Amino acid sequence: MSHSPPVRRLADWDHTQLLDLAAEHDTPLYVLDPDRVAENYRRFSAAFPDADVMYAAKAHTGRAVLSTLLEAGADIECAARGELQRATEAGADPNTLQYTAVNPPDADLDYAVELAGDNPGLTITGGAEDTFDRLEARGYDGRVAIRINPGIGTGHHEKVATGKDAKFGIPAERVPDLADELRDRFDLVGLHAHVGSGVLTDEVEKHAQALGTVADLAREVGDDSLEFVDFGGGFGVPYHEDEPPLDIEAVAETVREAVGDLDATLKFEPGRYVVADAEVILTTVNTIKETQAATVVGVDASLSTLIRPAMFDSYHPIRSVSAPDRADEPVSVGGPCCTSADVFATDRPIARPERDDILAIGNAGAYGYELANNFHSQPRPAEVAIDGDDARVVRRRERMADVTRVEDEAPGAPDAERE
C-alpha cells in the first residue's frame, strides 16, 4: 500500500527547482513528476485490490506517463486509434489493451481490427449497435464489450456527465437483448459504463448508486458469463485549495457496498486521479495593468496551453513561485490570446505579481498538454519530467516549423509546385 499524500498541492512542489527549470527551459513549461503518477496509481490500486485497474489514456498520453504506468503494472484503456498506437509504442502488450470506441471513424476501426488480428486479447467496446455491425462487416468476431448508458450522470460539469448523454453507450433497457444477439456474433466478454468525471466527496454516494445500477444490469445479463464489468473512472481530485481529497479507501468501500457481489472481475479506469496533481505549468508574467475593474496580470501561457478554464470554467490553483511570501492581492490572470476566454483567474488572491515573476498553475496533468493547441499559431511548450533533483526533456518545445510543416509539406504548397 502506498502511503503518499492523497493530494499534492502547489505549495508542495520544490519552488527552487521550478525556478531553475523555468530559467533553463523557458516558459510556458509543463513540469511532470512521474513518481507522483506511479504513487497515485498504486494508491488507487491498493484501495481496489480485487479489481483490474487500468489507466484511461485520454487524460495524458505522454510516453513518460504511459511508460511509468506500465512499469507500475497498469493496463491501458484507449478511446481512439492514436491512443492504441501510443500505448503499444510505450511498451504495452496489445493483448492487454481495451479500446472504448465512441463514434469511431473508419480508420480507427480498421486499425483496431488489424491490431486485434495479431493480438486476440485486445477488447473492443462498442457504444452503439451500429459499431458492432461495422465490426462484423470487417470480419471481426473477437472480444467485445457493451458500453451501457445507465441514464445517470455525475461529475464536475455537465459536459463530462457522460452517463446520461445519449452520445455515450447503449440504453440500459436494450442491453440484455443485445447481449444475447452479440453472443452469436462475437466473444462477448464484458460490460462497460462511465457515468461522469471529477467526482468528489459530495457526489460519491450518487456515483456509487449509478455503479450499482450497472452491476444490477450485469446480473440481469448474466455476470457469470462475463469476464469483467468495467465501471469506468470518474474519481476526482480537489482543484480548489480548500477542498479535501477523496478518501479513496472509504470511496472503495462505498462502491463495493453499492455494487455487491459479482462473479465477473471488476474493472476501473482512473485517468484524472492518476495524473492531475503530477504536473504543473510554469508561466512568466509579462504585463501588469491597473484598471478600475481589476489588476490584470498578463502571462505567456494561454488557453492554447491549458484550455480547461475556457472550456469548462474550471478552477486551477495559481501560485507565485518567485515570491510566494508577498502579500496577496486580488488579480485577474490571462494569456496572450485575443479572446476574453483566455483567462485563468478573475479577482483571485495571489502574491502580488511583478513583471518577470514565475507563476505555477496546478493540477495540469489531466487534459493539460492533452488538449494543448496551436491557436494564434503558437508552438506548443516543452515538457520536462523530474527525477529527484534531475530533469529530462520528454517533449521538446515546438518551433514555428513544426506548426507550419503540414502546410509546407502539402502537395499543393507553392514550394512543392516549384519542385
Side-chain angles (χ1 to χ4, degrees):
M1 159 124 15
S2 172
H3 295 287
S4 62
V7 65
R8 188 179 197 182
R9 309 286 188 180
L10 260 181
D12 298 330
W13 288 77
D14 184 332
H15 286 28
T16 300
Q17 183 179 34
L18 294 180
L19 289 173
D20 289 344
L21 291 172
E24 180 177 358
H25 300 285
D26 203 0
T27 61
L29 180 69
Y30 299 90
V31 180
L32 172 72
D33 184 351
D35 286 344
R36 182 64 187 176
V37 171
E39 290 170 2
N40 290 340
Y41 174 77
R42 286 193 293 265
R43 185 187 320 103
F44 191 100
S45 296
F48 292 94
D50 298 323
D52 179 6
V53 178
M54 303 178 291
Y55 166 64
K58 68 178 183 288
H60 193 311
T61 56
R63 188 173 300 167
V65 168
L66 295 178
S67 60
T68 294
L69 288 164
L70 289 169
E71 289 174 8
D75 289 332
I76 309 294
E77 183 269 341
C78 304
R81 170 207 168 143
E83 293 174 11
L84 287 170
Q85 183 170 336
R86 298 200 70 175
T88 55
E89 290 175 351
D93 177 356
N95 287 289
T96 67
L97 297 178
Q98 187 166 310
Y99 170 46
T100 307
V102 181
N103 300 334
D106 285 343
D108 282 39
L109 278 190
D110 291 342
Y111 183 86
V113 169
E114 182 179 355
L115 187 62
D118 296 325
N119 303 277
L122 186 146
T123 303
I124 300 178
T125 302
E129 294 184 50
D130 195 42
T131 301
F132 295 110
D133 294 340
R134 294 167 67 200
L135 285 170
E136 189 173 42
R138 286 165 168 77
Y140 182 78
D141 60 1
R143 293 167 56 88
V144 298
I146 302 172
R147 180 164 185 170
I148 303 164
N149 184 317
I152 304 169
T154 59
H156 68 90
H157 192 280
E158 62 181 10
K159 291 182 180 179
V160 300
T162 53
K164 61 181 180 182
D165 187 336
K167 175 180 177 178
F168 298 95
I170 292 166
E173 63 272 14
R174 174 68 182 126
V175 169
D177 288 342
L178 178 62
D180 288 339
E181 294 175 21
L182 294 183
R183 287 189 176 105
D184 294 330
R185 302 161 60 191
F186 304 96
D187 180 14
L188 179 62
V189 295
L191 300 181
H192 172 282
H194 178 75
V195 298
S197 297
V199 172
L200 287 173
T201 303
D202 58 352
E203 277 204 310
V204 167
E205 290 288 346
K206 180 181 178 182
H207 190 73
Q209 289 171 8
L211 301 187
T213 299
V214 175
D216 289 341
L217 185 56
R219 282 183 278 268
E220 183 179 349
V221 167
D223 60 302
D224 57 347
S225 67
L226 299 172
E227 181 182 306
F228 66 82
V229 179
D230 183 348
F231 293 100
F235 302 93
V237 296
Y239 283 73
H240 288 78
E241 294 89 340
D242 58 353
E243 286 179 322
L246 281 177
D247 181 343
I248 195 64
E249 293 181 356
V251 170
E253 183 58 34
T254 300
V255 169
R256 279 191 288 267
E257 291 176 0
V259 167
D261 293 331
L262 284 173
D263 287 333
T265 297
L266 275 61
K267 281 192 175 187
F268 294 95
E269 42 185 76
R272 183 191 314 274
Y273 184 90
V274 174
V275 294
D277 71 353
E279 188 156 44
V280 300
I281 294 170
L282 300 182
T283 184
T284 301
V285 175
N286 55 46
T287 303
I288 305 290
K289 180 168 64 174
E290 305 285 355
T291 74
Q292 289 185 337
T295 297
V296 177
V297 176
V299 297
D300 58 4
S302 70
L303 61 75
S304 69
T305 319
L306 182 69
I307 202 172
R308 294 189 71 253
M311 182 180 289
F312 300 121
D313 196 27
S314 300
Y315 179 101
H316 281 260
I318 301 175
R319 180 178 173 86
S320 171
V321 293
S322 294
D325 296 328
R326 281 197 205 123
D328 287 351
E329 179 177 316
V331 298
S332 296
V333 181
C337 290
C338 189
T339 168
S340 297
D342 187 23
V343 175
F344 294 114
T346 301
D347 293 330
R348 179 89 61 83
I350 299 172
R352 166 75 187 190
E354 297 179 359
R355 194 189 306 158
D356 297 327
D357 278 354
I358 303 297
L359 305 183
I361 304 173
N363 283 346
Y367 311 103
Y369 198 103
E370 202 62 27
L371 293 176
N373 58 82
N374 294 124
F375 184 42
H376 283 334
S377 292
Q378 295 184 91
R380 287 179 295 183
E383 182 179 36
V384 298
I386 58 175
D387 181 9
D389 295 331
D390 298 323
R392 68 186 193 280
V393 177
V394 293
R395 285 193 248 218
R396 69 163 172 81
R397 188 175 301 278
E398 284 186 342
R399 308 180 185 99
M400 276 303 299
D402 298 310
V403 178
T404 60
R405 180 169 289 117
V406 292
E407 294 172 289
D408 296 337
E409 296 178 354
D415 288 346
E417 292 176 1
R418 285 198 295 271
E419 293 174 1

